[in-house]
Amino acid sequence: GTAQIGVTGLAVMGRNLARNFARNGYTVALHNRTAARTRELVESFGDEGAFVPTESAEDFVAALERPRRLVIMVKAGAPTDAVIEEFAPLLEPGDQIIDGGNAHFEDTRRRERELRERGIHFVGVGVSGGEEGALHGPSIMPGGSPESYDTLGPMLEKIAARAADGTPCTTHIGPDGAGHFVKMVHNGIEYADMQLIAEAYHLLRSVAGYTPGKIAETFRDWNRGRLDSYLIEITAEVLAHTDPETGKPFVDVVADRAEQKGTGRWTVQIALDLGVPVSGIAEAVFARSLSGHADLRESSHTLPGPVPQPLGEEDAARFAAQVEQALYASKIVSYTQGFHQIRAGGAAYGWDIDPGAVAAVWRAGCIIRAAFLDRIRTAFDTRPDLPSLLSDKQFAEEIGAAQDDWRAVVATSARQGVPTPGFATALAYYDALRAPRLPAALTQAQRDFFGAHTYRRTDREGSFHTLWGGDRSEVSAG
Ligand code: 6PG
């Protein structure tokens, strides 16, 4: 074979990834379950580079130079297993199967283990950036063996997005499922970012009394500052858009029920297992879920509560500036929590993930790309043992400076009856971390009362139990 890489699964992500490889000078073998799609790709984009269209699994494998690199771009779950089962028997030791879908990292770990026994490298690769990213340069998070990265890495570096300093947005994240794990957390953070932006919008609309057009302007303005990011940029675009059919703001004709394909939910499920408080991501998942409960919402519209009273022009402008502070502070908390999960995952699964390198890879190409990520990279690179992003001097100072406005925004939301679970939970997290004492002491005492679950003391070592049903004396529990 002559193709340096092959792509099977030519739906939009696979097609664009294949084109990206070809545009960068690689010969790309193509395969799809229905051959019409393969032919279509070559007809429409054949002049972009060297493609080798194939119609059978055997021809596809034969078209690849050895060791073979075969990218599968199919739906996560059973379809991915089916494609692996189709191709693995045709491969030889040293070949690579590269899964560029949004696979669950536990599946990736299992597949990697099974294929390793057959001498095949299974490389789970997180790819972010949607269709455009896949074509023009995504952020790429490869897991798998270090050996696989030796040959695959340089190719990924070619097709990846580039940060402002020219560095390709990809790096070997760690073995087996590390890449898909980090992509999962990326998506969790994506959910949190989107929720915080939605809350800012809701407040500017209901409390500041701004029109969607005015909010678009406000976001464009924010996008020139420290919130500079892709998600803020597209939010402004969406809000400035008018529905061609009705002439109404587009955002007003979209049904207010947010869906999800599951990666945010996975992030929270895994965080619960790892014992990591990713409350911002969890609230974002719950907010989408709540929005989808049409019946529950319908039956609750008559519940009493305040109706937001829009502010006058000057107060509105002042409030908008406070919302920017609340959004920024909450965003710092989301990333603090996300990076905590990456560190915890790395420890639990035996990956040696470099948080600064992850931040670097997220600087361009992916959905959460933002100026902010370069600063996170600097924070972790300066102090690789940084216990938390909030331990970084600069972030701590910024959040400290934002907190008065942040508190005011959360208080106003509560008073005016505008739900801001993301802002509120981020603030609660911040205050819980600051607190010298938490009421967890009381929780432990209650547990000891009803279940003899024991407690530790502040003044000496050991575990203790109080005889609550007896004379209330204390016994040592080891
Ligand atoms: C990306 C996106 C991408 C996809 C999400 C959407 O990084 O390019 O995250 O992976 O758009 O899966 O997720 P939901 O459908 O769950 O919102």
Side-chain angles (χ1 to χ4, degrees):
T2 57
Q4 284 107 14
I5 195 133
V7 180
T8 180
L10 299 175
V12 62
M13 287 297 287
R15 183 180 70 209
N16 284 357
L17 216 53
R19 291 172 60 197
N20 190 347
F21 276 115
R23 287 164 158 212
N24 278 287
Y26 295 109
T27 301
V28 185
L30 300 173
H31 176 264
N32 194 64
R33 184 170 295 275
T34 51
R37 241 193 198 150
T38 313
R39 286 195 289 268
E40 236 169 71
L41 196 164
V42 178
E43 269 159 36
S44 308
F45 308 108
D47 56 351
E48 290 182 345
F51 294 106
V52 185
T54 66
E55 304 216 341
S56 71
E58 288 76 12
D59 287 353
F60 180 54
V61 168
L64 295 168
E65 110 190 348
R66 289 165 61 188
R68 303 178 180 88
R69 281 175 292 268
L70 185 161
V71 181
I72 55 183
M73 292 299 289
V74 300
K75 280 209 177 74
T80 300
D81 281 314
V83 171
I84 293 170
E85 269 327 297
E86 183 181 2
F87 286 100
L90 307 174
L91 299 180
E92 290 167 292
D95 289 351
Q96 302 179 10
I97 297 183
I98 299 143
D99 177 10
N102 265 334
H104 194 294
F105 75 97
E106 296 276 19
D107 285 339
T108 303
R109 282 164 61 79
R110 167 179 57 79
R111 290 166 183 150
E112 195 274 338
R113 204 169 44 236
E114 287 167 4
L115 287 163
R116 196 183 334 130
E117 281 164 19
R118 297 152 82 167
I120 297 167
H121 296 277
F122 183 74
V123 188
V125 181
V127 179
S128 177
E131 301 172 21
E132 282 300 294
L135 183 59
H136 299 292
S139 167
I140 312 178
M141 293 149 259
S145 64
E147 284 156 272
S148 66
Y149 195 82
D150 286 344
T151 58
L152 180 64
M155 300 179 72
L156 298 181
E157 284 164 21
K158 267 240 165 113
I159 67 156
R162 277 169 195 282
D165 66 5
T167 324
C169 287
T170 186
T171 188
H172 184 237
I173 301 287
D176 58 82
H180 275 141
F181 181 90
V182 164
K183 172 69 205 310
M184 176 189 77
V185 176
H186 164 283
N187 279 30
I189 293 175
E190 169 185 309
Y191 277 45
D193 265 346
M194 291 167 74
Q195 174 63 21
L196 295 174
I197 292 172
E199 291 176 16
Y201 156 76
H202 197 177
L203 287 167
L204 293 178
R205 191 92 193 255
S206 306
V207 178
Y210 284 4
T211 62
K214 171 91 178 158
I215 302 172
E217 257 174 58
T218 308
F219 278 124
R220 266 190 216 111
D221 190 38
W222 292 355
N223 207 36
R224 282 187 281 270
R226 60 193 180 169
L227 282 169
D228 175 2
S229 65
Y230 172 71
L231 282 170
I232 294 277
E233 177 193 326
I234 65 159
T235 306
E237 299 261 343
V238 169
L239 290 173
H241 183 56
T242 304
D243 176 44
E245 201 180 306
T246 59
K248 289 183 184 164
F250 175 72
V251 68
D252 287 349
V253 300
V254 178
D256 62 347
R257 293 187 296 273
E259 296 172 9
Q260 51 185 311
K261 289 204 292 288
T263 46
R265 187 173 63 237
W266 292 347
T267 311
V268 178
Q269 285 169 335
I270 298 302
L272 291 173
D273 292 341
L274 290 169
V276 182
V278 293
S279 49
I281 300 170
E283 287 295 354
V285 174
F286 286 138
R288 287 193 191 192
S289 151
L290 190 155
S291 77
H293 283 282
D295 293 350
L296 178 63
R297 291 175 58 198
E298 190 69 36
S299 63
S300 309
H301 287 327
T302 53
L303 291 174
V307 175
Q309 293 304 312
L311 299 166
E313 207 176 309
E314 250 173 55
D315 288 342
R318 212 168 308 127
F319 181 67
Q322 291 183 319
V323 173
E324 193 270 347
Q325 299 275 5
L327 177 52
Y328 187 67
S330 303
K331 187 176 165 86
I332 295 176
V333 168
S334 288
Y335 282 74
T336 301
Q337 296 182 342
F339 275 96
H340 184 181
Q341 181 160 1
I342 288 174
R343 176 161 290 157
Y349 295 99
W351 304 318
D352 187 20
I353 301 182
D354 172 354
V358 170
V361 163
W362 289 349
R363 285 180 299 174
C366 63
I367 304 294
I368 65 170
R369 61 184 181 260
F372 181 66
L373 279 155
D374 197 46
R375 303 191 32 230
I376 297 183
R377 179 191 62 92
T378 309
F380 282 119
D381 283 357
T382 315
R383 268 189 67 192
D385 62 333
L386 201 65
S388 140
L389 204 51
L390 286 176
S391 320
D392 176 73
K393 197 165 160 283
Q394 272 194 25
F395 283 117
E397 272 171 22
E398 283 183 322
I399 213 165
Q403 64 164 317
D404 285 348
D405 287 339
W406 189 14
R407 292 179 196 287
V409 167
V410 171
T412 301
S413 311
R415 226 180 289 115
Q416 299 257 35
V418 177
T420 52
F423 288 172
T425 201
L427 182 56
Y429 177 89
Y430 177 69
D431 282 333
L433 286 188
R434 287 187 328 109
R437 287 276 297 162
L438 286 172
L442 179 57
T443 309
Q444 274 304 94
Q446 290 166 322
R447 293 179 69 244
D448 189 59
F449 189 104
F450 63 65
H453 294 301
T454 77
Y455 51 88
R456 292 178 181 282
R457 295 184 58 102
T458 56
D459 49 4
R460 55 199 146 87
E461 290 294 305
S463 289
F464 303 92
H465 169 54
T466 289
L467 302 169
W468 296 102
D471 65 358
R472 304 211 161 176
S473 60
E474 185 172 78
V475 295
S476 169

